[in-house]
């Protein structure tokens, strides 16, 4: 009986030993597998899936030392936002499905790059200096029967040196249900450009905050788009509107000229671009009157996102320095009429104004400003498809002004100018 017992035991132990050998082999192969985790960046969302396809019998229980990275591990995926740059040594704690009581460790490394934003100083601008301006500003509100959000943020290049935000904007409700939004980018080389941009936007908005002027614009708009108007009547109405808009632009120039004289400055010290749109919803559609001098675009995006129109003339030079400013008397020549646009549409999804701090990194070239795919990419970016996972929520928009300011802090190598973005939606 005893001999039979030992023979049976030996025959049973053989397959068990083989099974243990296979388990041991598979665990060692998993330990030896060379895993290179893609590098992470501090303060940017990170996600990396561990490839377990070649190891169907291996299960990862947890990853040790992960807490200090700021990441979490779930469903074989590392994800989260690392806080600081470092080389992290992680312990992958795993087991074999046929030996679940034995926990083994595989060592891997994760390198987190420094956040490039942290290499830039953020020095406050001097509040005692003339024409002081806050480092950022934002606005949200209604605009006709739509909504508007604006964010304006000092660029890193200015923050690094404690200089001022040169951009500015102004939003106003006008008589007879008209609305105006103006945006300006002060020239970095002009010593009082921050005041030039502030004055340009404030002055143009104030000029049209006049019942008399708005009544003239209103009457001529009705004449221009009335079905019974003749070609001559429409042409005359268009000329009248352009003349009124031109008066507003000229008023900005004279205000800047006067301010320069009062402060012992040259008008060139106030160099600033200017774009603006006047908008009203009529029974026959939305009428948008627009103007631009400089390199800041105004874009109208159709209701179904099938078409994008540029509503202003862009002053861009092939070798740089091609931009124009509202302080340049040469723009008030017989070509100024070409700077105005009158647009009438049944509806639209977005009306967007921006300075080159947004335009340069997000569009790169002027010809992309009417490319629908480029705009779809921008709005995908705006709703969170970006490295920072920042988003502006156009649906639950209680904090959209704060969200847009946060989004505006995006990183773009070589693009560190002031950023102003206005969106009517």
């Amino acid at each position: 009986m005893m001999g039979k017992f030992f023979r049976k035991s030996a025959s049973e132990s053989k397959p068990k030993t083989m099974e243990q050998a296979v388990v041991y082999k598979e665990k060692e192969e998993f330990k030896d597998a060379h895993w290179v985790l893609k590098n992470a960046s501090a303060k940017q969302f990170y996600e990396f899936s561990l490839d377990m396809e070649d190891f169907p019998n291996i299960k990862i229980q947890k990853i040790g030392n992960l807490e200090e990275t700021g990441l979490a591990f779930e469903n074989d995926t590392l994800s989260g936002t690392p806080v600081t740059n470092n080389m992290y040594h992680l312990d992958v704690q795993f087991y074999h499905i046929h030996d679940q009581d034995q926990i083994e460790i595989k060592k891997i490394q994760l390198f987190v790059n420094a956040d490039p934003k942290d290499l830039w100083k953020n020095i406050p601008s001097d509040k005692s200096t003339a024409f002081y301006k806050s480092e950022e500003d934002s606005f949200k509100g209604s605009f006709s029967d739509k909504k508007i959000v604006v964010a304006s943020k000092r660029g890193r290049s200015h923050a690094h040196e404690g200089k001022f935000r040169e951009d500015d904007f102004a939003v106003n409700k006008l008589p007879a249900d008209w609305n105006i939004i103006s945006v300006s980018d002060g020239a970095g080389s002009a010593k009082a450009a921050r005041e030039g941009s502030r004055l340009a936007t404030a002055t143009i908005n104030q000029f049209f905050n006049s019942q008399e002027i708005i009544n003239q614009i209103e009457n001529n708009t009705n004449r221009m788009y009335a079905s019974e108007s003749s070609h001559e009547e429409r042409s005359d109405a268009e000329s009248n509107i352009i003349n009124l808009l031109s008066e507003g632009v000229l008023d900005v120039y004279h205000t800047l000229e006067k301010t320069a004289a009062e402060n012992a400055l040259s008008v060139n010290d106030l160099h600033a671009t200017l774009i603006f749109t006047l908008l009203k919803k009529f029974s026959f559609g939305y009428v948008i009157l627009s103007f631009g001098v400089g390199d800041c675009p105004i874009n109208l995006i159709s209701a179904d996102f099938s078409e994008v129109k540029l509503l202003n003339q862009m002053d861009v030079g092939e070798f740089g320095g091609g931009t124009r400013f509202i302080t340049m008397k040469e723009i008030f020549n017989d070509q100024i009429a070409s700077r105005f646009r009158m647009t009438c549409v049944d509806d639209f999804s977005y009306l967007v104004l921006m300075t080159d701090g947004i335009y340069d990194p997000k569009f790169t070239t002027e010809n992309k400003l009417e490319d629908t795919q480029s705009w779809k990419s921008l709005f995908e970016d705006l709703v969170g498809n970006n490295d920072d996972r920042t988003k502006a929520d156009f649906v639950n928009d209680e904090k959209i002004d704060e969200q847009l300011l946060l989004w505006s802090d995006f990183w773009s190598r070589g693009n560190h100018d002031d950023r102003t973005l206005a969106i009517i939606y």
Side-chain angles (χ1 to χ4, degrees):
M1 289 293 290
M2 190 172 289
K4 285 183 181 179
F5 174 79
F6 280 115
R7 281 196 298 274
K8 185 178 179 183
S9 177
S11 65
E12 282 183 345
S13 68
K14 190 174 182 181
K16 186 176 180 184
T17 304
M18 285 178 63
E19 183 180 303
Q20 287 176 335
V22 170
V23 168
Y24 176 79
K25 177 174 176 288
E26 289 182 352
K27 288 198 291 189
E28 289 302 304
E29 285 176 346
F30 180 69
K31 281 184 187 177
D32 292 341
H34 184 54
W35 274 7
V36 179
L37 303 187
K38 74 173 182 181
N39 289 351
S41 293
K43 300 178 185 175
Q44 288 188 15
F45 181 79
Y46 176 85
E47 190 171 65
F48 185 80
S49 294
L50 304 179
D51 187 5
M52 299 296 291
E53 192 174 330
D54 293 337
F55 306 99
N57 297 325
I58 300 295
K59 299 297 177 188
I60 298 174
Q61 185 185 63
K62 63 174 286 191
I63 297 183
N65 306 327
L66 196 60
E67 298 79 9
E68 59 192 273
T69 68
L71 303 180
F73 179 72
E74 189 175 5
N75 298 325
D76 293 334
T77 300
L78 284 165
S79 66
T81 304
V83 179
T84 55
N85 62 300
N86 205 345
M87 173 67 83
Y88 293 97
H89 300 276
L90 308 178
D91 293 335
V92 179
Q93 300 175 20
F94 70 95
Y95 60 86
H96 194 285
I97 59 173
H98 297 307
D99 186 16
Q100 297 187 22
D101 293 334
Q102 186 65 40
I103 303 299
E104 305 273 357
I105 292 178
K106 173 183 176 67
K107 294 192 175 293
I108 58 174
Q109 292 180 326
L110 172 67
F111 183 72
V112 179
N113 291 303
D115 182 357
K117 295 177 189 175
D118 292 341
L119 304 176
W120 292 80
K121 296 175 186 174
N122 188 13
I123 303 171
S125 46
D126 186 355
K127 289 186 177 181
S128 65
T129 305
F131 311 129
Y132 170 79
K133 180 182 290 188
S134 63
E135 273 104 49
E136 61 182 36
D137 194 11
S138 63
F139 176 85
K140 67 172 181 176
S142 60
F143 204 84
S144 184
D145 63 339
K146 294 187 179 283
K147 297 178 180 180
I148 185 170
V149 60
V150 193
S152 184
K153 183 180 284 287
R154 181 175 67 160
R156 288 189 184 87
S157 56
H158 289 160
H160 192 70
E161 298 178 16
K163 292 182 177 178
F164 291 94
R165 172 172 58 97
E166 309 288 5
D167 282 6
D168 222 313
F169 71 88
V171 184
N172 288 94
K173 294 183 187 299
L174 304 175
D177 296 325
W178 282 86
N179 293 263
I180 186 169
I181 164 72
S182 57
V183 171
S184 177
D185 178 4
S189 58
K191 64 181 179 182
R194 60 189 179 277
E195 180 66 358
S197 62
R198 187 197 69 79
L199 268 179
T201 55
T203 304
I204 197 70
N205 285 27
Q206 186 58 41
F207 179 86
F208 291 111
N209 193 21
S210 155
Q211 188 73 58
E212 181 185 350
I213 292 171
I214 284 296
N215 284 346
Q216 292 181 58
I217 290 175
E218 176 101 0
N219 293 338
N220 282 286
T221 300
N222 280 314
R223 282 178 62 209
M224 187 170 167
Y225 292 105
S227 56
E228 66 273 14
S229 293
S230 65
H231 175 74
E232 289 75 15
E233 286 174 318
R234 286 177 185 158
S235 180
D236 181 59
E238 182 179 7
S239 294
N240 290 341
I241 292 170
I242 288 176
N243 286 338
L244 289 163
L245 298 177
S246 295
E247 285 178 27
V249 174
L250 191 58
D251 186 56
V252 173
Y253 176 82
H254 287 148
T255 300
L256 292 168
E257 199 174 39
K258 181 169 178 279
T259 300
E262 289 171 350
N263 290 276
L265 297 169
S266 159
V267 73
N268 292 349
D269 293 328
L270 297 166
H271 268 343
T273 66
L274 177 63
I275 54 174
F276 67 83
T277 61
L278 287 144
L279 180 146
K280 180 175 177 176
K281 185 180 184 183
F282 288 82
S283 59
F284 48 82
Y286 292 91
V287 171
I288 303 163
L289 310 177
S290 53
F291 167 85
V293 59
D295 55 358
C296 302
I298 306 169
N299 283 87
L300 183 69
I301 303 165
S302 65
D304 59 359
F305 238 96
S306 62
E307 186 182 11
V308 181
K309 288 182 180 177
L310 181 64
L311 301 189
N312 65 306
Q313 174 182 313
M314 291 278 286
D315 296 300
V316 289
E318 186 179 353
F319 302 105
T323 193
R324 293 289 178 267
F325 302 108
I326 197 68
T327 39
M328 293 177 169
K329 203 157 193 176
E330 66 209 52
I331 69 165
F332 299 96
N333 54 27
D334 55 4
Q335 301 298 311
I336 192 168
S338 66
R339 294 185 175 274
F340 298 97
R341 302 278 191 280
M342 278 166 272
T343 309
C344 183
V345 291
D346 292 335
D347 199 6
F348 61 91
S349 57
Y350 301 101
L351 177 59
V352 183
L353 298 84
M354 67 179 80
T355 59
D356 59 354
I358 301 286
Y359 153 63
D360 283 342
K362 297 301 182 183
F363 292 89
T364 313
T365 60
E366 186 186 357
N367 60 7
K368 288 187 178 179
L369 286 171
E370 291 188 291
D371 173 51
T372 53
Q373 192 53 54
S374 296
W375 280 95
K376 285 177 182 176
S377 296
L378 175 65
F379 275 91
E380 285 171 8
D381 187 332
L382 279 163
V383 297
N385 186 17
N386 56 66
D387 291 336
D388 297 324
R389 289 296 196 270
T390 54
K391 69 174 185 175
D393 192 335
F394 292 92
V395 180
N396 301 311
D397 56 3
E398 296 86 359
K399 296 184 177 179
I400 193 168
D401 50 338
E402 298 171 27
Q403 293 170 346
L404 192 60
L405 263 180
L406 192 61
W407 177 89
S408 298
D409 198 38
F410 62 83
W411 175 261
S412 175
R413 185 181 177 89
N415 292 296
H416 308 298
D417 201 357
D418 295 346
R419 293 169 178 170
T420 301
L421 179 61
I423 304 173
I424 297 157
Y425 62 101

